[in-house]
Amino acid sequence: MSFSTKFDKLPLVQFGAAFMFYVEKHKLMELMSRLLAEISIEPVDDIRRWLGENVRRISHDIYTKSLDAFHRGVSGDFYQLPRSFFHRIVLHGRPGSGRRSLAHVLGRRWDLLIIDADALAYHSINGEDQENEHVKQLQRAIEMDCVYGRSQAIGNLIQRRLLQEDALHRGWILYNYPNNSCEARELFDGFSVPPNRLIYLQIDERMARMRIISNSYTPSPQSDITYIDHQMEQYCKSEPALDSYLSHRREVIYIDAKRCFEEVKCEIMSELNKTPYVLGYKYGQPPAQI
């Protein structure tokens, strides 16, 4: 006699995603490849004894070379991305820095899922899944004008989206999140599958404003001067603390976004291919809470 068993598969998905990130972060695939390579060159009699004596040496060697490459910008094969690697990219920058256009170009280049945090929040509120707890939380936060509640709800919606099958098996590129240091800390330290690259697009406010106005071919709320002023004010208010946090992360790549679109695109692609792949805090300890 068989019984139909129903269970919530979300915890299993979260565990699998977190385990994938753990393997990636601690370079376990590189470590196993190196162990197998050394054993195949010089066969050993007692494999367990040999592993116990050599695993620490090999892992230390991999980490030392990777960190040295990160700090000095030295090229080498020891940090090359595996073929099965999935990009998880965040595009961050001032409004007018080109985040949306670059997201679509990079998304097509690597067949990545493109996620606009603002669009995700909008469609969640106006979609069919009105009974979802995160959607309810977002609706309450908007009604009460609670910045913290809105930020927390959007973060939860993004996490849920990143644990869906297409995001896990394709990789993704996210923009319009994070918007402050609290969201950035949650993104890197709280998400089951955090980004492995954050592209920081740097551009001054004057040029960003000129781009927004000149690229607005049709009237829209985003091209209104009052709306632009509000966006720039919010960015300037949150940026110092956010920049301070991101400056401690190895995942961050700084890009001069004042140049033409093609130059910026090519530099990002080049940096993603050549920058040493090391995750976590630069100096081993998280920065002070801001």
Side-chain angles (χ1 to χ4, degrees), residues 13 16 27 41 46 56 58 61 63 70 103 108 111 114 185 196-197 202 219 223 233 238 248 255 257 281-283 289:
V13 173
K27 299 183 178 294
I41 294 172
D46 190 340
R56 183 183 293 273
I58 293 174
D61 186 42
Y63 270 96
F70 175 83
R108 287 194 298 269
D111 188 30
I114 301 170
R185 188 173 288 107
N196 44 39
R197 285 290 185 265
Q202 298 182 303
S223 60
E233 181 183 353
S238 62
H248 290 81
I255 298 292
Y281 292 105
K282 285 184 178 178
Y283 309 110
Q289 296 288 325

Side-chain angles (χ1 to χ4, degrees), residues 91 99-109 114 173 175:
L91 283 174
R99 294 168 299 171
R100 182 179 181 278
S101 299
L102 287 166
H104 284 79
V105 169
L106 298 175
R108 287 194 298 269
R109 170 63 178 81
I114 301 170
I173 184 164
Y175 64 101

Side-chain angles (χ1 to χ4, degrees), residues 44-234:
V44 295
D45 297 327
D46 190 340
I47 185 67
R48 289 178 296 180
R49 181 183 180 87
W50 186 91
L51 286 173
E53 293 173 347
N54 291 275
V55 67
R56 183 183 293 273
R57 170 183 62 81
I58 293 174
S59 60
H60 181 267
D61 186 42
I62 291 173
Y63 270 96
T64 301
K65 286 184 176 180
S66 297
L67 290 174
D68 179 66
F70 175 83
H71 289 298
R72 298 196 293 119
V74 178
S75 299
D77 293 334
F78 42 79
Y79 58 74
Q80 294 299 313
L81 301 178
R83 292 181 181 179
S84 59
F85 178 82
F86 294 117
H87 286 289
R88 301 190 304 277
I89 303 171
V90 172
L91 283 174
H92 172 72
R94 190 188 302 273
S97 60
R99 294 168 299 171
R100 182 179 181 278
S101 299
L102 287 166
H104 284 79
V105 169
L106 298 175
R108 287 194 298 269
R109 170 63 178 81
W110 286 293
D111 188 30
L112 303 175
L113 177 68
I114 301 170
I115 303 174
D116 176 354
D118 291 346
L120 178 64
Y122 175 83
H123 290 298
S124 297
I125 292 177
N126 295 280
E128 298 178 356
D129 193 12
Q130 296 295 312
E131 297 303 314
N132 181 272
E133 57 178 321
H134 303 316
V135 176
K136 290 181 177 180
Q137 181 186 15
L138 179 57
Q139 290 174 331
R140 289 195 300 269
I142 292 174
E143 291 171 359
M144 299 173 61
D145 194 23
C146 176
V147 176
Y148 174 77
R150 183 166 62 247
S151 175
Q152 188 179 45
I154 293 175
N156 289 332
L157 288 171
I158 293 172
Q159 282 209 66
R160 185 179 68 161
R161 183 66 186 90
L162 297 182
L163 288 173
Q164 293 181 15
E165 188 174 353
D166 55 350
L168 292 173
H169 293 117
R170 286 175 56 190
W172 44 265
I173 184 164
L174 168 70
Y175 64 101
N176 282 329
Y177 185 94
N179 295 302
N180 53 58
S181 60
C182 293
E183 290 180 351
R185 188 173 288 107
E186 175 65 17
L187 178 67
F188 281 107
D189 300 332
F191 278 31
S192 299
V193 186
N196 44 39
R197 285 290 185 265
L198 186 143
I199 308 299
Y200 199 138
L201 300 169
Q202 298 182 303
I203 185 173
D204 59 83
E205 183 175 337
R206 179 175 175 275
M207 181 170 286
R209 285 177 176 272
M210 289 177 60
R211 284 186 178 178
I212 294 173
I213 295 172
S214 62
N215 291 336
S216 300
Y217 302 112
T218 56
S220 67
Q222 286 76 16
S223 60
D224 180 75
I225 296 298
T226 303
Y227 180 81
I228 296 174
D229 288 342
H230 175 72
Q231 291 289 91
M232 294 297 179
E233 181 183 353
Q234 292 298 316

Side-chain angles (χ1 to χ4, degrees), residues 250-266:
R250 293 193 179 100
E251 297 90 345
V252 181
I253 299 174
Y254 294 90
I255 298 292
D256 179 7
K258 296 190 295 293
R259 296 163 299 166
C260 71
F261 183 82
E262 284 299 316
E263 286 186 27
V264 174
K265 179 195 74 174
C266 291

